[in-house]
Amino acid sequence: MRRTRAAGALLLAGAVTVLAAAGPAQAQEYRYWAFWDGADRGSWTYATQGPATVRPADGAVEGFRFTVSADSAAAGRPRAAADFDALCRATPAKDGRKRIGIVIDFGTAADAPGGARPPAARTACAQVPEDASAGEALAAVARPLRYDSNALLCAIAGYPTSGCADQVSGADGAKGAPKGADGSTAAGGSKGAGDGGDGGPSAGLLGGVAAVVVLGGAAVWQARRRRG
């Protein structure tokens, strides 16, 4: 009886050890255009929607920064202030139109793909119809834009010349992957079988641990039955 209990305990301990050793998966990094909303006092807030679905009011500032990151916490912010007055003071208001300040930061040489040289940052004041989206405001001042089949913004003013939200380094299972223009996750959004996806252990690993525990319990039960 003691031997069967010991065997069951060892199986359970082994399963727990395997689970603990799994550890959290490293978030995958991407090279992409991050989209930012200008907030009060010239600061930036990571946008929760894609530029095609955000319809800013007159006086808003929208920012775009080419960056390498795994989530919004690590994404690079535009290095220019979100200052509408500075951006649009030379653009008079018009009936039926709105003015949107646009800040475009092409990132650093370290973030550039394939050793490319990032263009100099630029700013503009887009004067667009009152129902225009942030994406339409961007298109008014920074063509050509390039999108992929998932409506993910790939290039602004032709930069970069190729690629779209390419993986840079890290493990599978991206956290906060780049979003498409409609706000849906476009890069790294699907998880393959066995991927954790949330930074925890994979479903396959949890299933294996559960099987070990069940088999250990069955062995103990069979041993008790024989002795009875």
Side-chain angles (χ1 to χ4, degrees):
M1 185 67 175
R2 290 180 179 175
R3 290 181 179 178
T4 57
R5 286 181 179 174
L10 285 173
L11 285 170
L12 180 59
V16 172
T17 300
V18 171
L19 180 59
Q26 182 181 351
Q28 173 67 57
E29 288 189 323
Y30 292 86
R31 178 181 285 113
Y32 70 105
W33 279 103
F35 175 40
W36 298 84
D37 289 324
D40 293 337
R41 296 181 296 278
S43 61
W44 295 103
T45 301
Y46 197 86
T48 58
Q49 301 180 59
T53 57
V54 172
R55 299 190 181 279
D58 181 79
V61 179
E62 306 298 335
F64 300 84
R65 167 72 186 267
F66 196 69
T67 186
V68 172
S69 74
D71 54 39
S72 59
R77 289 175 169 78
R79 286 168 287 182
D83 187 341
F84 176 79
D85 291 337
L87 295 171
C88 290
R89 68 163 56 100
T91 304
K94 289 184 180 180
D95 290 340
R97 309 279 287 182
K98 63 183 178 183
R99 294 169 298 165
I100 308 298
I102 300 292
V103 174
I104 305 169
D105 189 329
F106 293 89
T108 66
D111 294 336
R117 183 177 180 180
R122 64 169 75 174
T123 60
C125 184
Q127 193 161 60
V128 291
E130 291 180 336
D131 63 347
S133 68
E136 289 169 328
L138 176 66
V141 298
R143 291 183 181 275
L145 306 183
R146 178 166 55 86
Y147 290 88
D148 73 354
S149 59
N150 293 310
L152 181 68
L153 180 61
C154 304
I156 297 176
Y159 182 84
T161 57
S162 62
C164 193
D166 297 328
Q167 293 184 0
V168 177
S169 64
D172 290 336
K175 178 177 65 173
K179 295 181 181 300
D182 61 354
S184 61
T185 299
S190 60
K191 298 186 285 289
D195 287 344
D198 58 355
S202 70
L205 176 59
L206 290 175
V209 169
V212 170
V213 173
V214 170
L215 288 173
V220 173
W221 179 81
Q222 287 286 356
R224 288 179 175 176
R225 184 179 180 186
R226 291 193 190 99
R227 289 180 177 274

